[in-house]
Amino acid sequence: MTVQQLTERPEFTVLNAGNQPDMELTRVFTCDLLSVCMSKASAGCAWVTVMGNMNAVAVAVLTDTACIILAEGTPLDANGLAKAQQQGVTVLQSDQPVFETALLVHQLIHA
């Protein structure tokens, strides 16, 4: 599954369309502690979090994350949106809790 295919799913709202729509999703990663994400998130992962700010976008860039998915309807703040647009990071939003969001993405990747 690619980032573009994930953005087309009705369960997600696109907050920012990034510049790598053809990137293949490798796995799901969930964490809200940025220092852990910096050391554990892998390239190509779909990162499910509730951290909707520019620091999360910066970590996504550092780790080559395929996309950020903000669970629980978490908004992306204005600085985060500006940074996502500048860096070309795809940011999606889900109204579901972190676990359910991650489980759905996991199932879609491995379908």
Side-chain angles (χ1 to χ4, degrees):
M1 167 164 271
T2 65
V3 171
Q4 180 63 41
Q5 290 170 319
L6 192 62
T7 65
E8 294 169 356
R9 297 288 305 194
E11 299 90 350
F12 302 105
T13 301
V14 178
L15 301 180
N16 187 66
N19 61 10
Q20 294 183 308
D22 296 327
M23 183 180 264
E24 198 71 31
L25 298 173
T26 57
R27 71 180 187 119
V28 180
F29 180 77
T30 62
C31 186
D32 294 323
L33 189 57
L34 298 177
S35 60
V36 173
C37 293
M38 286 173 40
S39 65
K40 304 272 186 195
S42 60
C45 73
W47 177 21
V48 181
T49 184
V50 294
M51 299 293 294
N53 58 45
M54 70 180 204
N55 293 331
V57 175
V59 169
V61 171
L62 285 172
T63 59
D64 201 22
T65 295
C67 64
I68 299 171
I69 304 170
L70 297 175
E72 310 213 15
T74 300
L76 180 61
D77 69 23
N79 291 333
L81 176 59
K83 187 63 135 181
Q85 291 170 336
Q86 177 189 35
Q87 296 293 323
V89 175
T90 298
V91 182
L92 307 176
Q93 185 183 57
S94 168
D95 290 331
Q96 296 299 309
V98 171
F99 177 79
E100 283 81 358
T101 300
L103 181 60
L104 171 63
V105 175
H106 174 80
Q107 291 169 338
L108 292 169
I109 290 172
H110 297 287

